[in-house]
């Protein structure tokens, strides 16, 4: 056996050689190398060269309490010293699980979920995958084995497992993966700027979407349609805020045809919109609800699926007949994740984090609105501490740039050069989702950096014609 020590160069070189990067243009990365982040400080992160950046996306919509919250690190350390791991299989449970499920029940946005149960996993993808499975289990158990189809929306994002990616409505996630699975049915996206017809009013747009949903259910046959899955605000699909009345019409149709509602609150859960949940913001009545990301401020992986009492009772009766409920993960309810989640929820409550979001969110929304009318901005939209700038070649005609131009990617690179990390979504949409602890002064700084990056991008676009 060789005992030679491998030659190690810079961190970036190691990463460039061996790491297969998610959601990355891999050949371009081979040439340019990654940005290596080594430290966090509040809403900022610092790279290996000492450069600091405002993290305008809270990582991936998730680091709600920033990148240096000592109370969360201490909670993890305490739990590691007492019980670093135990499972929740076969009637056993790590101690912190019992405290966390009670806390989550108290946070639950509807009485049906407060009376129900919580099932833990490690990511939003896993919890949405679990919801997919549980819908099938539930309908089989109640004697409706044909009722399996899931209706999902264009531009939805529900994760990357086989089932979750199938429910997602972003073509890149399906290409070469042989997805989506059968029994996933697609309906339209409630984004008026992109999908409303010329001259169509907002109520007319909502009614058209509602009619499309009902016609889809009837075409597929109601006895085969099991559930409708929706993010209250579509995140990775472009920060899409549903128009007034949309969910009211959707829920009436679902109720009419005995179709379950799955609320994907992986991004919106725990205060992003200035409400505890998007369910509160849009008056939803979900049968299943998934959370992740801000449950632990992303300090350790954890997700959860809220299961209504109605579904739980059917599942419990059936599992008794079968002999066991045949689902779970090795790390379901991991004690360290539970301890961090409990501390995170405690901070939200004791520090009035959601109240802070309500106070500073207008600063973000007003800051973004300043860019409306810019020569290459088609639409500005947002709610709470989430927002987006959609770039356009011809804003008046709602004409996007050619994707091959990479205009959004160019903006993101220029923002990074000015000390701001943000993210481009499909269609040259620039997303903003900062940590919930961001201050008004830091929002102003973020907007100033955005303005510089937008000016750089406009100059670059205009240079094409020179």
């Amino acid at each position: 056996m060789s005992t030679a020590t491998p030659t190690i160069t810079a961190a970036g070189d190691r990463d460039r050689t061996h790491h297969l990067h998610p959601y990355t243009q891999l050949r371009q990365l081979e040439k340019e190398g990654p940005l290596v982040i080594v430290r966090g400080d509040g809403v900022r992160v610092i790279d290996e060269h000492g450069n600091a950046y405002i993290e305008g996306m809270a990582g991936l919509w998730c680091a709600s309490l920033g990148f240096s919250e000592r109370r969360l690190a201490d909670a993890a350390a305490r739990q590691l010293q007492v019980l670093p791991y135990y499972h929740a299989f076969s009637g056993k449970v790590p101690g912190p699980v019992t405290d966390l499920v009670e806390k989550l029940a108290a946070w639950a946005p509807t009485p049906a979920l407060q009376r129900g149960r919580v099932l833990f996993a490690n990511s939003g993808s896993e919890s949405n995958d679990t919801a997919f499975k549980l819908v099938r289990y539930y309908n089989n158990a109640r004697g409706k084995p044909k009722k399996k189809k899931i209706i999902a929306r264009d531009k939805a994002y529900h994760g990357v497992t086989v089932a979750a990616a199938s429910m997602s409505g972003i073509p890149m996630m399906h290409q070469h993966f042989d997805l989506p699975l059968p029994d996933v049915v697609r309906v339209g996206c409630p984004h008026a700027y992109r999908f409303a017809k010329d001259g169509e009013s907002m109520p007319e747009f909502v009614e058209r979407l509602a009619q499309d949903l009902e016609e889809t259910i009837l075409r597929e046959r109601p006895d085969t349609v099991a559930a409708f899955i929706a993010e209250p605000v579509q995140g990775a699909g472009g920060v899409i805020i549903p128009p007034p009345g949309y969910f009211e019409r959707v829920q009436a149709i679902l109720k009419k045809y005995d179709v379950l509602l799955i609320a994907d609150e992986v991004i919106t859960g725990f205060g992003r919109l200035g409400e505890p949940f998007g369910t509160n913001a849009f008056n939803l009545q979900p049968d299943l609800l998934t959370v992740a990301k801000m449950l632990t401020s992303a300090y350790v992986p954890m997700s959860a699926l809220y299961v209504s009492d109605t579904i739980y009772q059917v599942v419990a009766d059936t599992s008794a007949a079968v002999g066991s409920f045949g689902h779970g993960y090795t790390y379901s309810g991991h004690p360290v994740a539970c301890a961090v989640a409990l501390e995170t929820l405690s901070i939200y409550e004791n520090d009035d984090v959601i109240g802070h979001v309500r106070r500073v969110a207008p600063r973000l929304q007003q800051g973004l609105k300043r860019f409306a009318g810019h020569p290459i901005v088609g639409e500005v939209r947002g709610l709470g501490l989430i927002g987006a700038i959609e770039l356009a070649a011809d804003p008046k005609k709602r004409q996007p740039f050619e994707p091959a131009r990479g205009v959004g990617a160019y903006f993101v690179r220029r923002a990074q050069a000015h000390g701001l990390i943000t993210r481009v979504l499909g269609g040259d949409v620039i997303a903003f989702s900062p940590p919930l602890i961001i201050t008004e002064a830091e929002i102003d700084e973020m907007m100033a950096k955005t303005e510089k990056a937008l000016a750089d991008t406009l100059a670059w676009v205009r240079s094409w014609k020179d």
Side-chain angles (χ1 to χ4, degrees):
M1 179 183 296
S2 172
T3 59
T5 301
T7 300
I8 301 296
T9 55
D13 292 332
R14 291 201 311 275
D15 184 275
R16 188 161 56 243
T17 303
H18 297 296
H19 185 202
L20 180 57
H21 286 251
Y23 284 101
T24 299
Q25 214 283 33
L26 298 174
R27 293 303 185 195
Q28 181 178 341
L29 183 77
E30 290 174 357
K31 299 174 183 176
E32 299 178 359
L35 175 68
V36 181
I37 300 298
V38 297
R39 188 164 59 86
D41 182 14
V43 301
R44 289 173 167 79
V45 293
I46 296 91
D47 70 17
E48 60 184 335
H49 305 296
N51 300 310
Y53 309 84
I54 292 181
E55 229 305 350
M57 286 298 297
L60 290 172
W61 327 84
C62 52
S64 51
L65 299 178
F67 298 88
S68 57
E69 178 48 72
R70 181 61 182 269
R71 286 172 288 182
L72 300 186
D74 289 344
R78 287 193 300 269
Q79 186 60 47
L80 282 166
Q81 292 167 1
V82 175
L83 181 67
Y85 169 74
Y86 205 67
H87 63 83
F89 283 34
S90 307
K92 303 174 183 65
V93 66
V97 165
T98 58
D99 293 330
L100 183 55
V101 293
E102 293 305 311
K103 177 64 75 173
L104 286 173
W107 272 74
T110 68
L113 297 178
Q114 290 168 359
R115 293 191 301 269
R117 297 295 191 274
V118 175
L119 179 58
F120 292 110
N122 311 291
S123 69
S125 296
E126 289 178 5
S127 283
N128 283 328
D129 191 280
T130 299
F132 181 97
K133 288 179 65 179
L134 207 57
V135 164
R136 294 181 166 218
Y137 194 101
Y138 170 69
N139 280 317
N140 285 333
R142 65 187 187 127
K144 298 189 176 185
K146 293 181 181 179
K147 208 168 177 63
K148 301 285 174 61
K149 294 174 183 174
I150 307 288
I151 296 179
R153 302 181 297 178
D154 290 332
K155 300 181 81 68
Y157 184 90
H158 300 297
V160 296
T161 62
V162 169
S166 294
M167 294 187 291
S168 298
I170 300 174
M172 173 184 63
M173 300 176 65
H174 302 155
Q175 294 165 354
H176 302 294
F177 291 111
D178 294 335
L179 297 176
L181 292 173
D183 292 338
V184 175
V185 181
R186 199 75 56 197
V187 293
C189 167
H191 184 197
Y193 171 79
R194 183 54 57 203
F195 299 113
K197 297 177 180 178
D198 290 341
E200 190 173 41
S201 70
M202 198 67 76
E204 289 170 339
F205 176 59
V206 168
E207 188 57 32
R208 179 162 61 83
L209 292 176
Q211 289 178 5
D212 176 50
L213 173 61
E214 186 162 22
E215 289 168 3
T216 299
I217 293 172
L218 292 171
R219 183 177 65 249
E220 298 293 330
R221 299 197 324 272
D223 66 325
T224 73
V225 178
F228 177 88
I229 185 168
E231 306 152 88
V233 169
Q234 290 180 248
V239 187
I240 297 161
I241 315 296
Y246 169 77
F247 275 119
E248 181 180 358
R249 290 288 288 117
V250 164
Q251 290 185 101
I253 293 167
L254 301 182
K255 185 175 182 180
K256 180 178 179 180
Y257 295 105
D258 185 29
V259 176
L260 299 173
L261 173 60
I262 306 169
D264 179 346
E265 297 243 27
V266 170
I267 286 176
T268 54
F270 306 109
R272 173 64 60 191
L273 304 182
E275 296 285 349
F277 293 89
T279 290
N280 304 109
F282 296 102
N283 193 28
L284 305 183
Q285 296 295 322
D287 302 282
L288 298 158
L289 184 151
T290 56
V291 294
K293 297 188 185 296
M294 296 197 299
L295 174 57
T296 62
S297 187
Y299 278 43
V300 291
M302 186 175 225
S303 66
L305 171 65
Y306 281 95
V307 180
S308 71
D309 184 61
T310 299
I311 294 176
Y312 168 74
Q313 295 300 336
V314 172
V315 170
D317 286 344
T318 305
S319 70
V322 171
S324 179
F325 175 57
H327 178 83
Y329 302 96
T330 300
Y331 303 112
S332 295
H334 192 288
V336 177
C338 287
V340 173
L342 281 163
E343 186 64 22
T344 301
L345 296 177
S346 176
I347 292 170
Y348 291 158
E349 294 169 354
N350 295 335
D351 291 8
D352 189 25
V353 170
I354 296 177
H356 174 77
V357 171
R358 291 173 180 158
R359 289 187 290 274
V360 304
R363 194 67 155 241
L364 174 64
Q365 299 307 327
Q366 292 161 10
L368 291 172
K369 286 177 183 176
R370 292 205 327 262
F371 303 117
H374 187 279
I376 57 170
V377 171
E379 186 186 41
V380 173
R381 52 187 179 266
L383 180 65
L385 280 181
I386 190 170
I389 297 171
E390 182 159 346
L391 305 179
D394 188 335
K396 291 183 180 179
K397 296 181 180 178
R398 298 186 289 180
Q399 179 185 337
F401 287 102
E402 290 293 328
R405 290 283 194 178
V407 175
Y410 182 87
F411 174 96
V412 167
R413 290 195 297 273
R414 293 311 305 154
Q416 184 172 306
H418 292 299
L420 169 64
I421 292 177
T422 184
R423 189 176 175 203
V424 59
L425 308 175
D428 292 321
V429 175
I430 309 302
F432 299 84
S433 177
L436 303 189
I437 61 168
I438 195 167
T439 65
E440 289 187 336
E442 289 166 336
I443 290 172
D444 290 346
E445 185 181 351
M446 184 168 68
M447 292 297 96
K449 295 175 185 299
T450 299
E451 185 172 16
K452 291 179 180 178
L454 195 55
D456 293 347
T457 306
L458 175 60
W460 178 64
V461 167
R462 285 176 170 169
S463 75
W464 302 346
K465 302 173 184 179
D466 295 340

